[in-house]
C-alpha cells in the first residue's frame, strides 16, 4: 500500500500495468517518460531481453502534484506478460495501490486478454487483495490496428464491472495519459478515504 514519508512530506503510491505479453505495457511507460517534464520524473529502468520483451519489470517514478501539502510520487511498474514469469508478477503486485489492465485489442489476442485478467485476479488474491476493491482501470490498446476487435465486445468480455476504461494506441500516445490520470485519481480518492 502507499508509503507516507512524513519527514520529506511525500506520499509514494505504486501503480502496476498488467496485461498479456506484447500488449503495450512498456510502450505506455515509454510514452509517459518521453512526454513528461524532466523535473517530474526519475530514471526509467527497463529490464528487457534481447528481443525487447520485459524480463522482470519496467519502473518509472513520477511526481503528480500535491495533496494536503504532501508531494505525491507515483511509481509505475509493468509486469512481464509471458506466462512463465508468474512469480515475478506476484512479487511486483506486492504493495500495489492501483492496477491498469492493458488489453490487446487484436481479435486473435482475446483469449490471452481473458487469461491475463484471470491471472491478475488470482495473483492479487494471493497477495490478500480483491480486484473488485483495488483502484482499477482498463485500457484497450492497439485500437489503430486493422484487426482490432469491436470495442463493445472488449467491454462485454473484459469489463463487466464497468470500471473506467479507455481506448488507446500507446505507440501514438492516444489514451495513454487519460489512462494514467484516471488510475491516479482513483488511487488518490482511496488515500483520502484512508486519511
Amino acid at each position: 500500500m502507499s508509503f507516507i514519508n512524513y519527514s520529506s512530506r511525500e506520499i509514494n503510491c505504486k501503480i502496476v500495468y498488467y496485461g498479456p505479453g506484447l500488449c503495450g505495457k512498456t510502450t505506455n511507460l515509454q510514452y509517459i517518460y518521453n512526454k513528461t517534464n524532466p523535473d517530474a520524473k526519475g530514471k526509467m529502468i527497463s529490464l528487457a531481453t534481447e528481443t525487447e520483451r520485459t524480463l522482470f519489470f519496467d519502473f518509472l517514478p513520477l511526481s503528480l502534484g500535491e495533496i494536503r501539502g504532501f508531494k505525491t510520487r507515483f511509481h509505475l511498474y509493468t509486469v512481464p506478460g509471458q506466462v512463465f514469469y508468474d512469480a515475478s508478477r506476484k512479487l511486483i503486485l506486492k504493495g500495489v495501490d492501483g492496477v491498469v489492465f492493458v488489453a490487446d485489442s487484436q481479435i486473435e489476442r482475446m483469449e490471452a486478454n481473458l487469461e491475463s485478467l484471470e491471472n491478475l485476479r488470482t495473483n492479487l488474491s494471493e497477495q490478500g487483495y480483491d480486484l473488485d476493491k483495488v483502484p482499477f482501470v482498463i485500457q484497450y490498446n492497439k485500437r489503430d490496428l486493422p484487426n482490432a476487435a469491436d470495442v463493445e465486445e472488449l467491454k462485454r468480455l473484459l469489463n463487466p464491472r464497468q470500471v473506467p476504461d479507455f481506448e488507446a494506441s500507446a505507440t501514438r500516445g492516444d489514451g495513454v495519459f487519460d489512462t494514467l490520470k484516471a488510475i491516479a485519481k482513483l488511487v488518490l480518492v482511496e488515500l483520502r478515504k484512508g486519511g
Side-chain angles (χ1 to χ4, degrees):
M1 298 304 280
S2 56
F3 169 71
I4 301 176
N5 185 332
Y6 287 93
S7 60
S8 62
R9 299 189 70 76
E10 264 190 6
I11 300 171
N12 291 277
C13 306
K14 182 176 187 179
I15 293 174
V16 174
Y17 282 67
Y18 210 96
L22 298 175
C23 67
K25 300 176 291 294
T26 299
T27 310
N28 264 273
L29 259 63
Q30 283 170 338
Y31 187 84
I32 293 164
Y33 181 81
N34 289 334
K35 295 291 179 186
T36 302
N37 186 322
D39 298 337
K41 67 186 177 190
K43 192 176 176 189
M44 181 165 168
I45 299 167
S46 288
L47 298 176
T49 62
E50 287 173 5
T51 53
E52 297 294 313
R53 300 190 73 167
T54 303
L55 186 61
F56 192 65
F57 63 83
D58 306 300
F59 170 67
L60 172 61
L62 200 64
S63 298
L64 291 181
E66 290 196 358
I67 176 170
R68 292 184 191 162
F70 282 75
K71 287 179 200 161
T72 54
R73 210 164 160 75
F74 285 82
H75 300 258
L76 310 183
Y77 287 83
T78 68
V79 296
Q82 301 93 305
V83 178
F84 48 88
Y85 289 130
D86 202 40
S88 302
R89 286 199 293 272
K90 287 180 191 174
L91 193 63
I92 292 161
L93 282 173
K94 272 193 173 190
V96 70
D97 293 296
V99 178
V100 174
F101 184 80
V102 182
D104 188 329
S105 290
Q106 297 178 92
I107 291 169
E108 60 271 26
R109 297 295 289 161
M110 198 66 86
E111 195 63 32
N113 288 327
L114 289 166
E115 280 175 19
S116 182
L117 190 57
E118 193 51 42
N119 177 259
L120 168 63
R121 186 174 289 281
T122 302
N123 284 345
L124 275 174
S125 173
E126 287 181 18
Q127 303 292 332
Y129 299 102
D130 180 348
L131 181 60
D132 295 339
K133 293 179 180 162
V134 172
F136 178 53
V137 303
I138 297 177
Q139 180 188 82
Y140 310 112
N141 192 26
K142 304 191 181 183
R143 296 305 304 160
D144 54 318
L145 295 183
N147 54 342
D150 182 70
V151 80
E152 291 307 318
E153 180 69 1
L154 286 163
K155 285 176 188 250
R156 188 182 67 77
L157 289 169
L158 301 173
N159 193 10
R161 276 182 50 223
Q162 300 181 347
V163 298
D165 55 3
F166 302 89
E167 295 183 41
S169 166
T171 51
R172 296 194 311 210
D174 301 343
V176 170
F177 277 100
D178 294 332
T179 307
L180 176 62
K181 282 177 197 164
I183 191 64
K185 191 175 165 187
L186 289 177
V187 167
L188 291 176
V189 166
E190 276 303 303
L191 268 178
R192 286 195 180 100
K193 280 188 202 166

